[in-house]
């Protein structure tokens, strides 16, 4: 699945929950993280437009940013560690892939339920 299709699916699934009771200019949906030149780069949707920020800039957005990471099934602490490893030049792509897979698994567990649930 290409990145644009993944963003679209994630946005559709999370938009209603995130937008409920939050002004459009403050709503943030965390989409993905990838290695940048000297920091982790995150892809988010703010309002209705995608945005790319360094991890440091993203964290400076405050509690809305933290909530978006958690709602997407990611771990802020792990992303901090990965961002630090990028800055130190010790980045391992496998760590980010594993974190991405764990987030996908968490989202599936939340959104896909058996009829008995």
């Amino acid at each position: 699945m290409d990145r644009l299709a993944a963003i679209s699916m994630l946005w559709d699934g999370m938009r209603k929950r995130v937008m409920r009771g939050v002004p459009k200019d403050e709503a943030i949906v965390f989409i993905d993280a990838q290695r940048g030149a000297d920091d982790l780069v995150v892809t988010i949707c703010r309002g209705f437009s995608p945005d790319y920020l360094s991890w440091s800039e993203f964290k400076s957005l405050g509690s809305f940013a933290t909530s978006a990471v958690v709602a997407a099934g990611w771990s802020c602490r792990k992303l901090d560690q990965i961002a630090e490893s990028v800055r130190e030049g010790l980045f391992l792509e496998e760590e980010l892939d594993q974190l991405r897979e764990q987030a996908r698994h968490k989202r599936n567990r939340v959104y896909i339920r058996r009829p008995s649930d």
Side-chain angles (χ1 to χ4, degrees):
M1 179 182 307
D2 65 346
R3 189 173 302 272
L4 193 54
I7 289 171
S8 177
M9 280 181 38
L10 182 61
W11 176 249
D12 290 341
M14 296 177 65
R15 178 181 52 194
K16 292 175 187 168
R17 186 176 68 172
V18 171
M19 299 299 280
R20 195 177 307 139
V22 177
K24 289 181 184 177
D25 59 336
E26 294 180 4
I28 298 171
V29 177
F30 184 87
I31 303 297
D32 195 15
Q34 57 195 0
R35 179 186 182 169
D38 59 350
D39 201 355
L40 199 60
V41 176
V42 297
T43 306
I44 63 170
C45 278
R46 228 184 323 203
F48 291 104
S49 60
D51 202 1
Y52 304 92
L53 301 172
S54 71
W55 178 246
S56 304
E57 292 172 328
F58 180 72
K59 285 189 348 181
S60 71
L61 296 177
S63 63
F64 288 115
T66 304
S67 298
V69 170
V70 173
W74 294 68
S75 166
C76 289
R77 185 178 53 82
K78 294 270 188 179
L79 286 170
D80 275 335
Q81 292 171 351
I82 292 172
E84 188 63 33
S85 70
V86 170
R87 290 185 211 109
E88 293 174 354
L90 304 172
F91 174 76
L92 295 173
E93 187 71 38
E94 295 81 29
E95 291 178 6
L96 188 56
D97 289 340
Q98 182 181 11
L99 189 58
R100 189 176 288 124
E101 190 60 37
Q102 288 173 354
R104 186 174 297 126
H105 179 70
K106 286 179 186 176
R107 284 192 310 270
N108 286 341
R109 203 173 53 210
V110 169
Y111 293 121
I112 300 172
R113 297 178 186 229
R114 290 184 227 119
S116 62
D117 294 343

